[in-house]
Amino acid sequence: MSELLDVKGLNCPLPVLRTKKTMKGVPKGEVLTVEATDPNAARDIPALCEASGFELLSLEERDGVFVFKIRQAA
């Protein structure tokens, strides 16, 4: 199962705050996909993952949209 969090159009700090809140409800081992347009998210969400013990599986940029795949710690 994979969940999607769409935070496109939101500016710092909302993308990282919503990601953190949503990850609390993601079951262990499951993946959350986050889509964001705020350029700060490319730095802030990986930092959140490192600080919180989430596994950042990937970070891509597609036409100005940053797409993160984050796994909840098992």
Side-chain angles (χ1 to χ4, degrees):
M1 182 177 124
S2 182
E3 293 187 43
L4 173 65
L5 176 63
D6 183 349
V7 292
K8 295 188 295 282
L10 299 179
N11 293 319
C12 186
L14 292 175
V16 76
L17 292 175
R18 295 221 177 141
T19 299
K20 183 176 181 178
K21 181 179 180 181
T22 302
M23 284 301 291
K24 289 180 182 179
V26 174
K28 292 180 179 182
E30 296 297 326
V31 175
L32 174 68
T33 300
V34 180
E35 296 181 346
T37 51
D38 181 4
N40 291 322
R43 177 192 69 233
D44 294 345
I45 291 178
L48 168 69
C49 292
E50 186 173 326
S52 301
F54 306 138
E55 181 182 357
L56 181 62
L57 300 174
S58 65
L59 164 56
E60 298 178 38
E61 183 183 358
R62 301 179 197 152
D63 298 322
V65 177
F66 296 95
V67 180
F68 306 86
K69 294 204 181 288
I70 305 167
R71 180 176 298 152
Q72 180 65 274

